[in-house]
Amino acid sequence: DTEVTQTPKHLVMGMTNKKSLKCEQHMGHRAMYWYKQKAKKPPELMFVYSYEKLSINESVPSRFSPECPNSSLLNLHLHALQPEDSALYLCASSSRAVVYNEQFFGPGTRLTVL
Amino acid sequence: QQQVKQSPQSLIVQKGGISIINCAYENTAFDYFPWYQQFPGKGPALLIAIRPDVSEKKEGRFTISFNKSAKQFSLHIMDSQPGDSATYFCAAVRTRLTFGEGTQLTVNP
């Protein structure tokens, strides 16, 4: 199974809402990533978890809060977002984070902030 | 600061033609150069990758050419097919992926 799954596929939320994005992989990977992708742009790294611990935060605003409950699951909690946060949010996983290994991307969650 | 420059931004090719996408980098510490393919509504997927000690790598219709002295690498898609229509991102890696800006490829039937 080389699949990374993400739910929901689409999410529309108001600026005062609290919502969460979920990512799951069953490849035994120990590194998981959140990326943000705007239309016609490359993915931008947000967070990296290595062995369930946050290892990289690319100066992401605190309205985005990641969580890694176990080695297979990654969440992104959203609160008080702005319209400019509307984007495709991609989750990825790889066998390790310290040394580059192929990253497998999920299909993403299309987020719209009204 | 754009560390990987990719061109062209968009490319239209006839079926059966050759698609060529070019990338250039500055940081000589990069040690791995993957290409990702992304279809609409999907996440990027690794297509082919090369290490800087190799000048060329071929997988089926896809070939990476790598010029270490010029700090340039390119993707060649031979016999391009409509199903190849997608956005292609080159990337360079030290400990993390640094993507180019992407090329939207359209292959006309």
Side-chain angles (χ1 to χ4, degrees):
Chain A
D1 182 8
T2 59
E3 192 179 21
V4 175
T5 59
Q6 291 188 244
T7 54
K9 289 189 176 182
H10 301 275
L11 179 62
V12 180
M13 59 186 291
M15 291 191 287
T16 58
N17 292 158
K18 285 186 181 181
K19 297 286 184 183
S20 296
L21 309 185
K22 178 180 172 181
C23 172
E24 202 160 2
Q25 57 89 14
H26 296 286
M27 295 177 277
H29 288 170
R30 303 312 301 270
M32 296 186 77
Y33 310 77
W34 281 115
Y35 287 85
K36 173 183 177 180
Q37 186 177 27
K38 299 284 256 184
K40 299 187 185 299
K41 290 292 185 181
E44 297 174 35
L45 184 64
M46 299 174 71
F47 302 103
V48 180
Y49 272 83
S50 179
Y51 291 88
E52 295 136 62
K53 293 191 186 308
L54 183 64
S55 62
I56 295 174
N57 176 341
E58 290 286 303
S59 303
V60 179
S62 60
R63 57 186 185 268
F64 295 91
S65 176
E67 179 196 19
C68 189
N70 58 58
S71 60
S72 300
L73 196 54
L74 186 66
N75 297 320
L76 185 63
H77 303 296
L78 313 173
H79 174 55
L81 294 192
Q82 304 297 309
E84 59 264 29
D85 296 322
S86 299
L88 181 69
Y89 287 84
L90 294 162
C91 173
S93 71
S94 67
S95 54
R96 291 183 298 167
V98 176
V99 177
Y100 176 77
N101 287 271
E102 179 184 351
Q103 291 184 19
F104 292 82
F105 285 83
T109 293
R110 176 74 60 189
L111 174 68
T112 302
V113 181
L114 301 176
Chain B
Q1 182 184 0
Q2 188 181 0
Q3 296 194 55
V4 180
K5 294 185 179 180
Q6 183 172 347
S7 63
Q9 196 172 6
S10 63
L11 180 62
I12 299 174
V13 174
Q14 291 300 117
K15 179 183 175 182
I18 303 173
S19 304
I20 302 174
I21 304 170
N22 300 300
C23 287
Y25 64 96
E26 290 295 326
N27 188 349
T28 55
F30 289 134
D31 57 8
Y32 190 66
F33 299 87
W35 285 86
Y36 280 83
Q37 180 188 54
Q38 186 174 23
F39 293 103
K42 303 286 187 183
L46 180 66
L47 186 64
I48 186 173
I50 196 168
R51 295 203 179 274
D53 54 347
V54 176
S55 61
E56 184 174 282
K57 183 173 181 181
K58 184 176 181 179
E59 290 184 1
R61 296 183 294 109
F62 301 91
T63 300
I64 300 178
S65 297
F66 190 86
N67 186 329
K68 188 174 180 179
S69 60
K71 293 186 284 187
Q72 295 175 347
F73 58 110
S74 60
L75 175 70
H76 295 235
I77 306 174
M78 310 300 287
D79 188 26
S80 299
Q81 299 296 313
D84 297 330
S85 298
T87 299
Y88 292 81
F89 293 100
C90 64
V93 180
R94 176 58 176 160
T95 54
R96 66 184 72 179
L97 282 166
T98 300
F99 287 99
E101 286 295 297
T103 296
Q104 188 166 350
L105 172 66
T106 302
V107 181
N108 288 328

